[in-house]
Amino acid sequence: MPLVEHLSPRAIAGRAPDVFRHGGWVPMREYGDDEEVDFTIVGTGAGGGTLAAKLAEAGFSVVALDAGPFWRPLEDFASDERHQDKLYWLDERISEGNDPIELGGNNSGRSVGGSTVHYQMVALRFRPEWFRSRTTLGYGHDWPVDWRRMWECYAEVEDALKISGPLTYPWGPKRGRYPYREHELNASAEVLARGCEELGVDWSACPTATVSARRGLSPHCVYRGFCKIGCATNAKQSTLNTFIPRALAAGAEIRDLSMVTRVETGADGRATGVVYQRDGQVRRQRARHVVVAGYSIETPRLLLNSASPKHPDGLANSSGLVGRALMVHTNHAVWGRFQEEIRWYKGPPSLAVCEHWNYADDEKDFFGGYAYMSQGPLPTDFAKTLAESEGIFGTELRRRMADYNHMAGLKIVGETMPQERNRVELADETDRYGVPLARVTYSMCENDRQLADHSLEFMRNALSAAGGQELFQSGGTAHLMGGCRMGFSREDSVVDGDGRSWDVGNLWICDGSLFPTGGGVNPSMTIMALAVHIADRIKTLAGQDAL
Amino acid sequence: MTDSFDPPYPNYDILRKWDSPSYNQITRDVLTERLTAVPQRQFLDEQEWRLLQAICDQLVPQPERTDPVPITPFIDAALTENRTNGTRFAGIPAMREAWRKGLAAIRAEAMAQHDTDFVSLDAHRQEALLHRINDGDAEPAHWDGMPAQRFFRSVLLKEVLAIYYAHPAAQSEIGFGGPAAPRGYVRMGADRMDPWEAPADRRNR
Amino acid sequence: MCLLTDSAMKNAPDCRRFTCAPSSIGSPAPSDRGTETGLTTGRVLGALGLAAAGFLVLRAAERNRLQPQKQADRSRRADAAIQMGRASSLLAGSVFADSAMEHLRGGYHRRAMYVAPAMAGATLAASTSSRARLSRRNADLRDGIYLAGIATGLTGLGFHLWNISKRPGGATRMNNFFYAAPIGAPGALVASGLYGLAAGRLVRAPQMTSRQEGRLVGSMTALNILATSAEAGLLHFRSAFQNPVMFLPVIAPPAAAVALAAAVARPGRQMIKIARAACGTTVATGLAGAAFHVWGVHRMHGGWHNWRQNLLAGPPIAAPPSFAGLGLAGLGALDLLEMEAQP
Ligand SMILES: Cc1cc2nc3c(=O)[nH]c(=O)nc-3n(C[C@H](O)[C@H](O)[C@H](O)COP(=O)(O)OP(=O)(O)OC[C@H]3O[C@@H](n4cnc5c(N)ncnc54)[C@H](O)[C@@H]3O)c2cc1C
Ligand code: SF4
């Protein structure tokens, strides 16, 4: 696996890699460092990449920087878990708290395209009530965006990614038909379906961001099942092969392997651009607006590291909330052995979903909800789960691993409560760029535990109803949300409903760190929908001369 | 550890697909390197290397193999390159230091319990000692503030398993489909397989 | 060997990526040839398919024109019989190849799965065996085979419905209609058998008037076309009509079915002419469809190099010729209808 520091930038000299062709290039507009562009965006993942495309298409000049490399999936992605570690943010971060979270490959990507390059493509919408969870459900915070507005943005994103989903989705208000049809269920998804049928709850083919039929230069998914370590066929619809090509075509510049270390501010306290390192050089990009989209750890880290006399506690941090209320999803799972061979390595890992417990308010005595999906972990991934949750190693572990092809599992994406004690801070130690390491503190609360316990019991029943034996369970977390929440007032949030900093008028945030609450579904669709919303708002504000 | 492992897919070898569309070029390159260029010792000293090898033999015993999957060399290589995995849990120092410290602690545990080096213990004692650490019963005095169980599970065991199960031999033994690009799979149902997958589990036939 | 098209060539001036570092493990092999490359092959195939289809339409039209108005009824009936025979063959051939492939995909996990291709093969043999040697005994044997084919088709239908019902969610889930055993496919075998029987009747002494015969075959064909079109529509919908040409089989054949039905209802000169053109187009659709499906397989990831996956996972090449068979049956029915349209 190549180390990031040994790679050289590819998006240079007026061209960027063509993600759809071996050795291919597409033309790319370039801007000088001294040229003051309309927007410079830090991070090109679900939030940043989407925003870059939308802003460039609206006619703004855009330079988007990413600390990670610019891959061509067809030639760069191996069918090898160890090698593909190259997709993750592997720089050290310190993890503390009562329930310290695993970072790296567990929740952080580092590539042009961000974490979507290795996401598992589960493409779900929030439940409408979650945008007002304080008011309607009694916990967390309300979002400063109306759910109907989000519903429009979801539809746009789903069309941009040609989500393959069911004709009718069993939960929540009516949504339009998904642009592509649902995928065939693999055996592991059928296990989930059987369990639900037995217990009398609804289930659905999972809306998935990989195409069930050809789409332009993306071929039909070949069901190779390596999605989590990068899709080598381009069937997966990540930011890398959807919004990034759009951004380039619309005249944005994407700078790969460019690590932003600081957002610079002028004497008036407004942002003037960013300092970044590329190819061993320290450079500055001037910009009228700076957007930070580095995800829930890097975004707060960058803002905290950008303190200046005008912003002594870090940029955009007059509320003291930068880095606060970091959330994860609990990722508890139940696994079982089946007599027949499931061979869960085939197909996208989560082809079926049950969102029952996101919607059934009356039947539960905890806040929040969870969805659970069918599973298909790759060998090293599953070996680690076995070792960790069963506390085994040696011949016993090899024997249990020999049942790999007989296993099926159900795993939740469980909502956790936003707690301000869960946070990102700067440590004393610095990294190779001279930026202080992130120190991440995480502890579950009682409600989080109740939710996890409830899910474990339910999934146990479901899995054994479907024929699973020798059940065992595992814990863990997935995804990051929050850390710079959006809200209604400068005291209670870092940015407003447009993603704009209360403190610095030309500083924006556009990524998963905006989430005031976590919801019980995977976050990327909501992040992209927010990006669409923010882009539209920026267009509107520009039209009103209010930027 | 004498009782051995009984493979459910005895005649299956994912490397036989090497020339088929299941392997793309980069996968071939990556595996060629892994299989032919096993790294030499650079970071660990000889004693640490032998100790780590003995530990790996317990974590993933391969008594039936004449040519066991190499693990120690890849750990050493990662340490040589100073690779990190993105998470440093509280109490665990940076990677290189953590491994040195962890190995020293295991050596100290062996010394304290059996008055001899871990390497010279019989397999049974070695295994029992590692189980104690895994179960959270290590002697904190030997670990210099580093959480022993966390080191054992989240650093040591994880890395060993990541290396072992990334090896074609290990993937063949569990009947995993192996590399699958550009060719993926067609038959998705239970007990249905493509001709380029492992034939049915011996135990089910 | 370097398998790049011009455009990819320009982008990748060197072919190094296809040369494998020598290794002790295996020999170099070009692996995932760019799936985007070689569009030309696909276009050529598509064009060839369209050309062949066009040729057939022209020929049909020409034959129509050249047909002397006063030709004896006997030979008109024989012509219709030949059309029915061809229809039966094409359908049987399509079912033979398609069920062989689809059941291969299903791993032939049930013995009964061999029956479909076997009976389709027998039907094919029966319908293609020389008509000249049509002895009474042979004819009976053939009828027997057709009847067995029809029975197989009906049983298959039952099996496929059962297959759907036992999957999670059963008939309430679209997933099962998309991906479980297709309901319509065995129907093609039934149709093939029926056309075979019809061909047999037509070479024997008539038991009803030609118009009655034409009406019978014509309405059956209209229904068959609609059913087949529905099946194609379902599967093309499953693929999100990702290519506009995928609308063809849900537009052209149903139009032919309507025209045919109209001709059955009022077998006037003009209507028969229109229906004839529409049936010709259905033949063309079937043939072009096969060519498009060849192209579609090529466009799957890994293209033809990955044929073991893509022949099964890609669009079924053998399915669209069913339309060609039905189109021919329609033409045969029109032959019969036309006889009484003569003064
Ligand atoms: C294994 C895995 C599976 C997942 N599966 C799903 C799923 O099935 N469904 C779903 O909805 N979500 C899934 N997710 C989550 C989803 O991928 C993320 O929530 C989403 O991508 C986050 O979007 P983002 O824009 O906030 O950050 P990211 O997409 O992570 O993008 C952040 C980018 O910013 C860059 N960056 C950060 N700091 C800097 C800096 N200082 N300078 C320059 N660049 C910087 C990073 O390199 C990175 O590329 C998964 C995540 C993982 C890890
Ligand atoms: S299963 Fe589909 S999405 Fe996943 S890696 Fe394979 S082709 Fe890509």
Side-chain angles (χ1 to χ4, degrees):
Chain A
M1 194 253 303
L3 288 166
V4 144
E5 55 264 39
H6 297 160
L7 298 172
S8 327
R10 276 177 171 170
I12 45 172
R15 60 183 199 173
D18 180 348
V19 293
F20 290 109
R21 291 190 169 81
H22 283 274
W25 299 98
V26 292
M28 179 178 78
R29 166 133 196 220
E30 282 183 298
Y31 297 90
D33 281 355
D34 283 338
E35 219 172 311
E36 188 178 53
V37 294
D38 293 331
F39 285 88
T40 186
I41 303 176
V42 184
T44 59
T50 307
L51 187 74
K54 295 283 295 176
L55 290 182
E57 285 167 355
F60 294 106
S61 55
V62 174
V63 171
L65 306 109
D66 203 290
F70 203 141
W71 306 109
R72 288 190 195 95
L74 291 177
E75 67 187 31
D76 292 329
F77 290 174
S79 303
D80 186 87
E81 283 181 87
R82 199 163 165 77
H83 177 82
Q84 290 299 115
D85 271 352
K86 66 187 183 184
L87 303 183
Y88 303 129
W89 191 286
L90 298 178
D91 288 359
E92 291 211 313
R93 292 154 166 172
I94 297 166
S95 185
E96 300 185 344
N98 303 337
D99 305 284
I101 50 182
E102 192 185 331
L103 300 157
N106 191 42
N107 44 32
S108 309
R110 180 190 192 130
S111 297
V112 171
S115 304
T116 68
V117 174
H118 55 75
Y119 72 169
Q120 305 205 58
M121 313 169 307
V122 173
L124 302 177
R125 295 184 182 187
F126 258 43
R127 177 184 164 181
E129 287 83 347
W130 291 342
F131 294 105
R132 302 209 138 262
S133 57
R134 166 59 52 196
T135 314
T136 62
L137 301 169
Y139 68 90
H141 311 273
D142 289 353
W143 290 49
V145 204
D146 186 69
W147 77 269
R148 281 160 295 231
R149 168 72 187 133
M150 288 299 284
W151 233 236
E152 290 163 18
C153 299
Y154 279 126
E156 179 175 339
V157 169
E158 286 163 357
D159 191 56
L161 303 190
K162 292 285 179 260
I163 299 298
S164 301
L167 292 180
T168 49
Y169 194 67
W171 303 281
K174 230 176 135 68
R175 52 185 78 174
R177 194 212 291 150
Y178 284 99
Y180 271 44
R181 302 294 80 74
E182 65 195 75
H183 288 269
E184 180 178 0
L185 302 182
N186 58 7
S188 118
E190 279 185 14
V191 165
L192 181 143
R194 276 207 306 272
C196 287
E197 299 268 321
E198 291 294 325
L199 299 191
V201 296
D202 245 322
W203 61 277
S204 173
C206 191
T208 307
T210 178
V211 284
S212 59
R214 192 178 183 83
R215 184 228 178 154
L217 294 173
S218 286
H220 189 308
C221 170
V222 299
Y223 303 116
R224 61 190 280 268
F226 281 87
C227 327
K228 191 181 171 178
I229 59 166
C231 174
T233 73
N234 270 324
K236 174 195 276 192
Q237 304 293 292
S238 65
T239 313
L240 175 63
N241 65 4
T242 57
F243 285 107
I244 297 291
R246 271 173 62 175
L248 288 167
E253 179 183 348
I254 307 286
R255 274 184 217 152
D256 54 343
L257 294 168
S258 299
M259 171 73 184
V260 176
T261 54
R262 223 181 125 73
V263 177
E264 297 217 299
T265 40
D268 58 355
R270 283 173 66 86
T272 55
V274 297
V275 183
Y276 67 101
Q277 292 183 30
R278 193 185 202 195
D279 228 4
Q281 281 182 314
V282 177
R283 293 164 53 174
R284 281 184 167 69
Q285 176 65 51
R286 295 197 327 119
R288 277 183 277 279
H289 295 267
V290 173
V291 184
V292 185
Y295 208 7
S296 292
I297 293 179
E298 293 308 314
T299 290
R301 179 178 176 223
L302 180 60
L303 294 177
L304 293 173
N305 193 46
S306 301
S308 67
K310 277 251 173 206
H311 308 284
D313 302 323
L315 213 49
N317 197 21
S318 65
S319 63
L321 285 171
V322 168
R324 295 272 187 181
L326 176 75
M327 290 165 285
V328 295
H329 281 135
T330 40
N331 219 200
H332 291 68
V334 176
W335 314 88
R337 185 186 194 280
F338 286 73
Q339 179 59 34
E340 64 268 32
E341 288 189 79
I342 303 290
R343 304 211 176 196
W344 56 6
Y345 54 80
K346 293 188 277 188
S350 302
L351 284 171
V353 61
C354 173
E355 267 207 75
H356 178 79
W357 294 105
N358 272 334
Y359 288 83
D361 292 328
D362 300 342
E363 304 164 45
K364 60 192 178 198
D365 52 2
F366 52 84
F367 286 133
Y370 63 86
Y372 68 84
M373 293 105 199
S374 55
Q375 297 298 308
L378 291 168
T380 78
D381 211 3
F382 186 59
K384 290 180 203 169
T385 301
L386 256 180
E388 188 124 311
S389 52
E390 293 289 87
I392 54 171
F393 59 83
T395 303
E396 193 185 352
L397 184 108
R398 272 183 84 195
R399 271 209 209 99
R400 295 282 295 274
M401 275 301 284
D403 282 340
Y404 178 78
N405 281 350
H406 290 269
M407 300 301 298
L410 305 172
K411 196 186 241 190
I412 62 163
V413 165
E415 182 166 12
T416 63
M417 294 297 114
Q419 306 176 60
E420 279 169 23
R421 63 174 173 159
N422 291 334
R423 61 186 300 198
V424 180
E425 299 161 284
L426 299 182
D428 297 332
E429 211 178 317
T430 56
D431 68 3
R432 62 173 178 281
Y433 305 103
V435 182
L437 300 189
R439 183 206 314 280
V440 182
T441 310
Y442 193 82
S443 307
M444 284 167 77
C445 65
E446 194 44 39
N447 190 78
D448 299 344
R449 261 185 222 103
Q450 273 177 328
L451 182 148
D453 290 344
H454 181 278
S455 74
L456 287 171
E457 190 188 328
F458 189 80
M459 292 189 297
R460 265 183 181 276
N461 292 336
L463 204 58
S464 55
Q469 285 157 355
E470 303 166 36
L471 305 190
F472 73 97
Q473 63 196 47
S474 63
T477 71
H479 312 141
L480 300 165
M481 282 97 21
C484 289
R485 79 163 164 258
M486 62 196 317
F488 298 90
S489 77
R490 58 187 324 132
E491 292 76 36
D492 196 39
S493 55
V494 178
V495 297
D496 65 15
D498 302 338
R500 186 184 214 163
S501 157
W502 295 108
D503 300 347
V504 185
N506 64 344
L507 178 75
W508 310 71
I509 295 174
C510 182
D511 62 14
S513 59
L514 294 173
F515 284 34
T517 53
V521 296
N522 317 48
S524 66
M525 286 296 114
T526 306
I527 298 172
M528 292 187 201
L530 277 178
V532 165
H533 166 68
I534 290 172
D536 287 349
R537 286 294 299 152
I538 287 175
K539 268 186 279 182
T540 309
L541 291 171
Q544 298 164 350
D545 230 5
L547 270 190
Chain B
M1 171 104 332
T2 42
D3 59 342
S4 73
F5 168 76
D6 191 15
Y9 305 94
N11 300 316
Y12 172 66
D13 180 0
I14 58 175
L15 284 178
R16 256 179 248 142
K17 295 192 256 184
W18 188 271
D19 288 323
S20 80
S22 288
Y23 283 64
N24 62 6
Q25 193 52 50
I26 178 160
T27 304
R28 289 197 190 102
D29 292 346
V30 165
L31 288 177
T32 301
E33 161 132 8
R34 182 166 310 148
L35 296 172
T36 59
V38 177
Q40 299 291 310
R41 182 177 64 79
Q42 283 190 58
F43 176 77
L44 299 172
D45 66 29
E46 216 162 303
Q47 205 186 12
E48 287 168 328
W49 175 279
R50 273 189 296 124
L51 172 59
L52 181 55
Q53 211 140 26
I55 295 170
C56 290
D57 283 347
Q58 287 310 316
L59 298 184
V60 188
Q62 311 174 53
E64 80 286 8
R65 287 208 173 92
T66 45
D67 198 8
V69 172
I71 295 171
T72 313
F74 292 103
I75 296 176
D76 184 89
L79 292 171
T80 306
E81 291 174 321
N82 205 6
R83 280 180 193 275
T84 48
N85 66 12
T87 318
R88 192 201 296 170
F89 288 109
I92 297 191
M95 271 300 148
R96 288 178 163 176
E97 197 189 331
W99 280 88
R100 284 238 146 92
K101 232 173 162 171
L103 289 174
I106 293 174
R107 183 184 299 130
E109 293 265 355
M111 275 303 196
Q113 281 177 43
H114 304 288
D115 212 16
T116 173
D117 201 16
F118 184 89
V119 182
S120 340
L121 290 177
D122 64 42
H124 193 72
R125 289 222 163 89
Q126 289 182 339
E127 195 199 357
L129 190 148
L130 295 177
H131 267 300
R132 283 179 45 132
I133 302 172
N134 186 31
D135 296 343
D137 300 330
E139 173 52 54
H142 305 310
W143 292 80
D144 186 21
M146 185 161 83
Q149 190 189 34
R150 183 158 302 273
F151 169 80
F152 184 85
R153 287 191 180 186
S154 303
V155 181
L156 174 63
L157 186 52
K158 254 191 187 162
E159 181 73 351
V160 169
L161 293 177
I163 293 169
Y164 181 71
Y165 283 105
H167 195 282
Q171 297 183 348
S172 300
E173 97 186 5
I174 61 170
F176 175 53
R183 182 173 64 194
Y185 304 103
V186 180
R187 297 166 182 87
M188 307 257 280
D191 278 337
R192 300 270 185 278
M193 31 251 166
D194 292 326
W196 54 93
E197 289 182 74
D201 185 336
R202 187 174 51 78
R203 299 167 294 183
N204 271 26
R205 269 179 264 157
Chain C
M1 182 175 56
C2 191
L3 301 150
L4 286 169
T5 56
D6 295 351
S7 66
M9 221 27 184
K10 253 179 270 145
N11 291 329
D14 62 334
C15 278
R16 258 173 302 162
R17 65 188 179 78
F18 282 122
T19 47
C20 200
S23 83
S24 55
I25 306 135
S27 55
S31 53
D32 54 340
R33 350 186 321 210
T35 45
E36 313 315 332
T37 65
L39 289 186
T40 23
T41 327
R43 298 224 172 96
V44 167
L45 279 171
L48 278 179
L50 279 174
F55 174 73
L56 263 148
V57 175
L58 281 179
R59 255 199 45 176
E62 191 155 315
R63 211 173 45 106
N64 193 22
R65 194 152 40 77
L66 292 181
Q67 219 118 62
Q69 291 288 309
K70 299 214 174 62
Q71 202 177 357
D73 277 6
R74 241 178 97 81
S75 93
R76 283 309 290 266
R77 274 189 98 232
D79 272 0
I82 291 174
Q83 293 290 47
M84 292 305 146
R86 283 188 188 141
S88 172
S89 306
L90 260 172
L91 282 161
S94 164
V95 175
F96 172 69
D98 200 41
S99 69
M101 292 293 285
E102 289 297 324
H103 287 182
L104 175 65
R105 180 195 182 120
Y108 288 102
H109 68 277
R110 237 179 271 289
R111 288 259 159 76
M113 293 168 81
Y114 288 105
V115 177
M119 277 319 300
T123 308
L124 179 62
S127 63
T128 47
S129 64
S130 161
R131 247 151 292 265
R133 290 186 293 106
L134 192 80
S135 70
R136 181 87 219 175
R137 247 191 47 218
N138 275 347
D140 286 347
L141 175 66
R142 239 185 271 169
D143 282 359
I145 293 176
Y146 293 138
L147 284 170
I150 292 170
T152 308
L154 292 173
T155 318
L157 204 71
F159 259 118
H160 285 197
L161 283 172
W162 176 71
N163 176 290
I164 288 175
S165 73
K166 77 180 169 64
R167 309 238 302 197
T172 63
R173 296 282 173 164
M174 257 339 250
N175 200 286
N176 297 335
F177 290 99
F178 287 150
Y179 300 108
I183 313 181
L189 188 55
V190 178
S192 170
L194 288 173
Y195 292 126
L197 289 177
R201 291 288 93 78
L202 286 171
V203 293
R204 294 174 209 173
Q207 284 171 348
M208 44 178 118
T209 67
S210 295
R211 170 167 287 186
Q212 278 170 331
E213 286 174 333
R215 286 210 154 130
L216 200 62
V217 184
S219 34
M220 175 175 99
T221 303
L223 286 177
N224 283 341
I225 291 179
L226 287 179
T228 309
S229 191
E231 173 110 332
L234 176 75
L235 295 181
H236 284 191
F237 176 59
R238 180 184 92 185
S239 293
F241 290 98
Q242 48 92 11
N243 187 326
V245 85
M246 292 165 80
F247 284 106
L248 190 59
V250 292
I251 295 171
V258 171
L260 197 55
V264 164
R266 281 166 201 271
R269 252 296 158 67
Q270 199 57 27
M271 203 54 237
I272 286 183
K273 212 167 152 188
I274 293 174
R276 207 174 264 290
C279 286
T281 316
T282 302
V283 176
T285 303
L287 298 178
F292 278 121
H293 283 195
V294 170
W295 186 36
V297 168
H298 154 81
R299 299 254 289 164
M300 296 287 285
H301 190 61
W304 280 96
H305 178 59
N306 184 14
W307 61 273
R308 288 179 84 187
Q309 169 164 26
N310 290 343
L311 267 182
L312 295 175
I317 294 171
S322 287
F323 278 120
L326 293 173
L328 289 179
L331 290 174
L334 291 168
D335 280 347
L336 294 170
L337 289 172
E338 204 165 28
M339 280 165 58
E340 296 219 357
Q342 311 286 322

